[in-house]
Amino acid sequence: MTTSRSRWFTAIALMVPLLLFGAIEGIMRVAWPAGELPLFVTAAAGNGEWLMANPVVAARWFPGEQSPPAPNLEFFRATKAANGFRVFVLGESSAQGFPYPRTGSFARLLDAALTDALPDRDVEVVTVGIAATNSYAMLDVLPQLLAQQPDAVLYYGGHNEFVGALGAGSAIRLAASPSLTRAFVALQQLRSVRALNRYVAQRRARSAAGAVNPSAASFMESVTNGQDVPMDSPAYRIGVQQFDENLTRIAERIVEAGVPLYIASTPANVRDQAPFASAGNDAARAAFAQAVNMLAAGDSSTSRAAFFRARDLDVVRFRAPGVFDSVVARVVQRVAQRRGASPSSARVHYVPVAEAFAAQSPAGTPGHELFLEHVHPNRAGVQLLANVFLTTLRSAPPSGITIDSTRLRTMAVYEQQVAVTPFDERIAQHRVAALAARWPFVAMTQQGDYRATYVPQNAADTLAFLVAGGARPWELAKLELARQLEVAGDTAQAVQEYRGLANDQFIFAEPHKLAGAALFRARRFAEADTQFELALALEPSAELALVRARIAGDAQRWPQAVQMLELAQRLQPGRADVLYQLALAQSVTGNIPAARATAEELQRLHPQFPALAQLRAVLGLNR
């Protein structure tokens, strides 16, 4: 064989596998379109005008789970408004708002605040936080997130670096090396690789008695391989390395795209959360007991160091260690230095959330005054979290943005505005109670089943319990509860439930209509009109215009009544009742020619209308 033929033979031999793989990949893309798993999809409602996070996007990192963790159902414009100010929040369950329903995230408070402070902007603050994920997932979704033209990205994560999907101590792990893990995650963009990974993962899940539902109380058990991760162990060092490397890559790519990035330090409950249940936690428990004794003796300074040391010694890594805050600060400086600038001019900013939580806590040690359990903030903590991000945005705003601080109200006011209700709080309480009965909060041998033993106290508690366990959709439960409250005469609380739905499902008119109807029945007409106005803007209808006209007329606001009746006429031309009321309203405002013309139209279309003769007489049309 000549040298030339030998080269051709070698080239063909090398190309055949590549061509075969390319053919397989092409077939997979045609045969398995659901395998694409984009970050965002078009919302089912809204005529294609709205996008939302893909409910199954987490199957990228949980290929063996039948029900992978889902991002919040939040809408944003498919085409960004010309005056749009769009902010994405990257993170885990704490960024998502767990254990509250999705209205409970700090992103919702921030959205309300920025809407006030930027009155000329179409503000969208959207969280893509996903439970049990970490920096691998956030790095993976980054290209699709940046394609949506954010004006800022907020990063609040770190607690899942060890035990979240692909983490150093996770049951869902691909390789010991962060670089190999990143390479494999990148290969998941190939449909054939994703299909193979899914097949293998599901086979393993079936052999291990099936996948665990992420909404179940024991999901924390499914994301860890059960191994301790002692401080300075190889797994610990890999976890710190992956956080550092992944966060650096995330920051560099966001800043290179010209988008400012705000990275938060990560607080945790250190005072009221003892080290988790593990035989390897003797040192952590000793440090925690020492801290408790020191605090009781009034030695707050020494106890503070002991509490944080107990957190860092905890071998069950469901709380970010203190070194992660140093990693965040180092990444901010590193990315800025590589661009030859200060962090401010490089548009990468450190957000001192952990420091703010410490400052708001007794002895500088956060506990149940800000946290529900180990890492998820309570309502006070959520407000503080939103406020720290807002403060940093105010001090270092994105280019071209001027945040009008004089228009800002307190986070407590925004809490009322987003309408997190006692019902939503009860849902969170049930979720936390279910978690607390399971490992790692108690030893494996002492685990209980809260959901199997709890007896709801009343109808509202029953609904909250069902929602918490995934047996009832939150939206339907809110509607059911609101109706029950109306029947019981508690209009104010019923309206709050409707408002919570309206703020969440803001592209739908129905919650506003329901809230308006409840307020109207309670004779709170001005508040009812506000809700009907919002509904009318979303879903123009003659009925809504008519009810607004009636409210305006009763309040002697006749020009507004005429405006609404004219709108009703345009929306549903020729309605007898609309024409009659419009003629009366026009006459009251003194526009007799218009009133007569309307009455003549009523005569032409509905000559048998009962009150027509009287109307014509009043307008002098019978002479």
Side-chain angles (χ1 to χ4, degrees):
M1 183 180 293
T2 65
T3 301
S4 177
R5 288 183 177 179
S6 175
R7 288 174 179 171
W8 275 107
F9 181 81
T10 301
I12 292 171
L14 291 173
M15 288 176 63
V16 167
L18 294 176
L19 291 172
L20 179 61
F21 181 80
I24 293 172
E25 177 65 17
I27 292 170
M28 289 299 300
R29 287 178 180 269
V30 173
W32 190 34
E36 183 184 2
L37 296 178
L39 174 59
F40 300 117
V41 294
T42 302
N47 298 318
E49 296 180 2
W50 301 92
L51 297 179
M52 55 180 269
N54 185 355
V56 295
V57 66
R60 293 187 187 187
W61 319 293
F62 295 88
E65 295 289 347
Q66 296 299 315
S67 300
N72 288 351
L73 173 62
E74 296 190 3
F75 305 112
F76 63 97
R77 298 186 188 280
T79 301
K80 184 179 174 182
N83 66 334
F85 180 67
R86 178 173 290 173
V87 178
F88 284 118
V89 178
L90 276 173
E92 308 153 351
S93 57
S94 294
Q96 191 174 13
F98 181 88
Y100 297 98
R102 55 182 175 263
T103 50
S105 73
F106 80 87
R108 295 298 179 91
L109 298 178
L110 198 55
D111 183 275
L114 289 173
T115 298
D116 270 358
L118 299 170
D120 298 326
R121 294 279 187 164
D122 181 65
V123 174
E124 298 174 308
V125 181
V126 182
T127 178
V128 286
I130 304 175
T133 62
N134 54 36
S135 58
Y136 283 121
M138 297 170 212
L139 182 60
D140 186 32
V141 303
L142 199 55
Q144 291 175 301
L145 183 142
L146 291 174
Q148 296 302 326
Q149 302 173 285
D151 294 286
V153 174
L154 315 183
Y155 191 106
Y156 182 64
H159 291 306
N160 290 345
E161 285 306 307
F162 293 97
V163 294
L166 311 178
S170 173
I172 306 170
R173 187 179 175 194
L174 299 175
S177 164
S179 58
L180 288 176
T181 301
R182 285 191 294 271
F184 192 85
V185 171
L187 285 173
Q188 295 288 305
Q189 300 299 323
L190 298 172
R191 210 73 54 88
S192 50
V193 175
R194 182 169 289 161
L196 179 61
N197 187 32
R198 183 170 179 257
Y199 172 77
V200 172
Q202 290 181 346
R203 284 288 299 269
R204 287 176 178 173
R206 283 194 294 270
S207 67
V212 177
N213 187 330
S215 66
S218 59
F219 187 56
M220 292 177 76
E221 301 164 46
S222 74
V223 296
T224 174
N225 60 14
Q227 296 180 0
D228 294 343
V229 182
M231 182 177 283
D232 295 327
S233 66
Y236 178 88
R237 290 194 292 272
I238 289 171
V240 176
Q241 178 188 356
Q242 81 181 38
F243 186 55
D244 190 313
E245 293 179 357
N246 290 347
L247 189 58
T248 298
R249 283 170 170 77
I250 289 168
E252 287 178 336
R253 292 179 188 180
I254 292 175
V255 172
E256 284 171 4
V259 179
L261 172 63
Y262 302 80
I263 314 176
S265 52
T266 313
N269 181 350
V270 297
R271 192 185 71 252
D272 294 322
Q273 177 60 63
F276 287 119
S278 170
N281 254 342
D282 288 345
R285 278 191 281 271
F288 187 80
Q290 181 187 31
V292 170
N293 292 334
M294 288 176 176
L295 185 61
D299 189 351
S300 59
S301 177
T302 308
S303 70
R304 181 179 186 278
F307 276 122
F308 281 101
R309 178 164 176 77
R311 185 271 313 271
D312 290 348
L313 288 172
D314 194 336
V315 298
V316 184
R317 297 284 170 191
F318 283 104
R319 292 179 291 179
V323 69
F324 277 19
D325 292 343
S326 300
V327 169
V328 172
R330 188 163 61 244
V331 167
V332 169
Q333 290 293 333
R334 180 188 300 147
V335 172
Q337 288 171 359
R338 288 179 182 176
R339 298 180 66 82
S342 66
S344 179
S345 58
R347 292 187 288 190
V348 55
H349 310 280
Y350 180 89
V351 184
V353 172
E355 294 84 343
F357 272 62
Q360 292 294 316
S361 303
T365 54
H368 285 324
E369 70 282 341
L370 294 172
F371 287 98
L372 291 165
E373 14 74 348
H374 61 309
V375 296
H376 298 110
N378 58 21
R379 297 316 303 164
V382 171
Q383 290 182 42
L384 179 58
L385 183 55
N387 199 52
V388 180
F389 269 108
L390 178 62
T391 299
T392 307
L393 282 164
R394 288 169 57 192
S395 63
S399 178
I401 295 297
T402 301
I403 296 176
D404 186 352
S405 300
T406 64
R407 297 179 60 89
L408 288 170
R409 294 172 287 175
T410 67
M411 283 298 164
V413 171
Y414 296 126
E415 178 88 3
Q416 286 291 316
Q417 187 172 315
V418 301
V420 176
T421 67
F423 176 68
D424 300 320
E425 287 269 20
R426 190 62 184 139
I427 293 169
Q429 290 165 8
H430 281 306
R431 287 173 174 164
V432 170
L435 286 176
R438 306 291 295 183
W439 185 88
F441 297 94
V442 299
M444 290 280 191
T445 56
Q446 298 174 352
Q447 292 190 109
D449 190 344
Y450 174 81
R451 290 173 182 155
T453 58
Y454 180 77
V455 178
Q457 303 302 302
N458 51 46
D461 191 35
T462 298
L463 287 171
F465 182 71
L466 292 172
V467 172
R472 186 72 60 90
W474 173 73
E475 300 90 342
L476 295 182
K478 294 273 276 187
L479 286 174
E480 187 173 344
L481 176 62
R483 293 188 189 103
Q484 292 175 5
L485 290 166
E486 273 201 83
V487 170
D490 192 349
T491 302
Q493 194 54 50
V495 168
Q496 278 295 90
E497 303 300 341
Y498 288 134
R499 286 184 62 238
L501 279 174
N503 288 333
D504 177 67
Q505 303 286 291
F506 60 85
I507 69 173
F508 298 103
E510 193 63 25
H512 291 297
K513 288 195 283 186
L514 291 169
L519 289 163
F520 190 91
R521 286 190 289 271
R523 305 187 65 79
R524 292 163 59 178
F525 299 121
E527 295 171 80
D529 188 53
T530 298
Q531 293 299 318
F532 288 137
E533 181 181 15
L534 293 168
L536 188 63
L538 291 166
E539 187 182 292
S541 74
E543 293 300 333
L544 284 171
L546 268 173
V547 73
R548 291 202 67 209
R550 175 181 171 182
I551 292 172
D554 289 346
Q556 304 295 304
R557 297 194 305 271
W558 292 108
Q560 183 187 356
V562 169
Q563 181 185 21
M564 287 296 102
L565 289 164
E566 289 175 342
L567 175 59
Q569 165 68 359
R570 289 195 300 272
L571 292 170
Q572 194 173 346
R575 273 186 57 165
D577 57 340
V578 172
L579 290 169
Y580 175 74
Q581 293 182 49
L582 177 57
L584 288 176
Q586 288 169 331
S587 68
V588 171
T589 60
N591 192 349
I592 301 302
R596 288 174 174 172
T598 303
E600 292 288 9
E601 180 72 0
L602 179 61
Q603 170 75 41
R604 185 179 68 82
L605 295 174
H606 306 281
Q608 303 304 316
F609 186 75
L612 178 59
Q614 183 180 4
L615 174 66
R616 291 178 61 84
V618 168
L619 295 175
L621 290 173
N622 290 332
R623 292 195 293 269

